[in-house]
Amino acid sequence: MGDPTHPAMIFLHGFPESHRTWRHQLPAFARDHFVIAPDQRGFARSSKPGSVGDYAPQHIVADLIALADHFGIARFTLVGHDWGGAVAWLAALREADRIERLVIINAPHPLLFQRSLFDDGAQRAASQYITAFRNPQFEDHVERIGLGAFFDASFRPHADLDAMAAEKSVYLDQWSRPGALTAMLNWYRASAVIVPAMDEVPPRPAFLDAPFPPLTMPTLVIWAMQDGALLPVQIDGLDAYVPHLTLTRIEAGHFAPWQAPAAVNAAIRAWLADGMADGMAG
């Protein structure tokens, strides 16, 4: 959406969604930006490669850069939520010359997330679902209970199911496409994140306590404080790794882009305006 001659913004959704995560953001920012929101690899109507390795993070970042190249976009503002935010963090670290600004919505910094899974019992408990998703029999479980029940179980802890009633058929259509469920779960299976069991005392990876490269671009992190999957511990100490950080806390659950669109849009708009004013002053 928007005028291709305007500054570009690329929006990356997470699990278990699609480009529709951004249905409240795209029209708002298309007024003065060229906005792009793909269905990421494996989701909805995008291609669904067959092996777990096809969903390794480097391939997802390569998809993002290929998408920008396709549209002839040299530099852009990158916005990510959930898994889309995980890709955005990694892209900002690996492709800093392409990403002018970074916006993260409830997606943890990779180092802080892995560290929290070792050091924070509440976050470790909240992340045990990842181990369940990695189980190769998980698809059989979903087949037994049905996609409708999987929808209810997925969203009930995080959202008002009655408020989502009109969207349910959209999700079920996307999830029922051949290979879609396995493709979405393969994001978890291809990830190198270690999720210790609650009673486990695993060996501590050395990188958790080693120096980590800081981000170079201006970064806005919007954190919905009622997120039950990604806890507020994820923003503790974040400024040590993101020198040009603006942190905005909002009252919403995990799916903030559509649960609290006015707050999300206002935070992004104010931050962009501040950046423009700083640029003009400089």
Side-chain angles (χ1 to χ4, degrees), residues 2-276:
D3 186 339
T5 66
H6 287 165
M9 299 178 73
I10 299 180
F11 293 76
L12 301 180
H13 70 84
F15 181 93
E17 300 206 275
S18 69
H19 70 279
R20 284 187 60 76
T21 295
W22 307 109
R23 58 192 177 274
H24 301 291
Q25 284 72 46
L26 300 184
F29 291 97
R31 295 196 299 267
D32 51 6
H33 288 80
F34 180 45
V35 298
I36 302 167
D39 292 339
Q40 294 212 79
R41 174 183 295 226
F43 288 88
R45 287 168 172 76
S46 281
S47 300
K48 298 168 179 61
S51 72
V52 170
D54 291 325
Y55 298 87
Q58 66 267 25
H59 300 311
I60 314 298
V61 172
D63 289 345
L64 167 67
I65 299 304
L67 181 68
D69 289 346
H70 172 79
F71 284 99
I73 298 169
R75 287 171 60 78
F76 52 93
T77 295
L78 179 59
V79 186
H81 170 254
D82 187 79
W83 263 116
V87 174
W89 281 119
L90 186 58
L93 288 163
R94 294 187 176 182
E95 303 285 348
D97 60 323
R98 302 297 298 272
I99 298 167
E100 188 170 9
R101 297 181 182 88
L102 180 66
V103 180
I104 298 291
I105 306 169
N106 282 68
H109 183 280
L111 177 66
L112 296 183
F113 184 50
Q114 184 63 89
R115 188 181 289 164
S116 72
L117 293 174
F118 277 75
D119 298 343
D120 188 273
Q123 183 60 69
R124 186 188 295 197
S127 299
Q128 292 301 305
Y129 71 92
I130 296 175
T131 300
F133 285 175
R134 287 171 167 172
N135 187 322
Q137 277 74 54
F138 193 83
E139 289 91 324
D140 295 336
H141 165 70
V142 174
E143 185 175 357
R144 284 194 299 272
I145 67 173
L147 281 178
F150 179 58
F151 174 92
D152 292 348
S154 296
F155 285 106
R156 185 179 290 112
H158 308 290
D160 181 345
L161 292 180
D162 290 338
M164 293 185 68
E167 286 290 310
K168 185 171 183 176
S169 63
V170 177
Y171 284 95
L172 297 186
D173 171 67
Q174 293 173 348
W175 296 354
S176 63
R177 295 189 168 268
L181 182 61
T182 293
M184 293 192 297
L185 294 169
N186 279 347
W187 281 58
Y188 293 93
R189 294 163 178 163
S191 168
V193 170
I194 302 166
V195 184
M198 294 306 297
D199 58 353
E200 184 181 0
V201 184
R204 187 178 184 85
F207 75 85
L208 290 186
D209 305 301
F212 196 88
L215 290 188
T216 58
M217 69 285 297
T219 301
L220 169 66
V221 172
I222 301 172
W223 205 265
M225 300 299 288
Q226 298 166 18
D227 191 334
L230 297 168
L231 307 182
V233 68
Q234 301 304 331
I235 56 178
D236 292 347
L238 184 57
D239 56 340
Y241 304 98
V242 188
H244 309 290
L245 173 67
T246 300
L247 176 61
T248 300
R249 298 170 178 85
I250 64 173
E251 292 304 316
H254 176 71
F255 296 97
W258 47 262
Q259 287 180 316
V264 167
N265 291 5
I268 298 174
R269 181 63 71 183
W271 179 73
L272 290 173
D274 286 345
M276 185 175 296

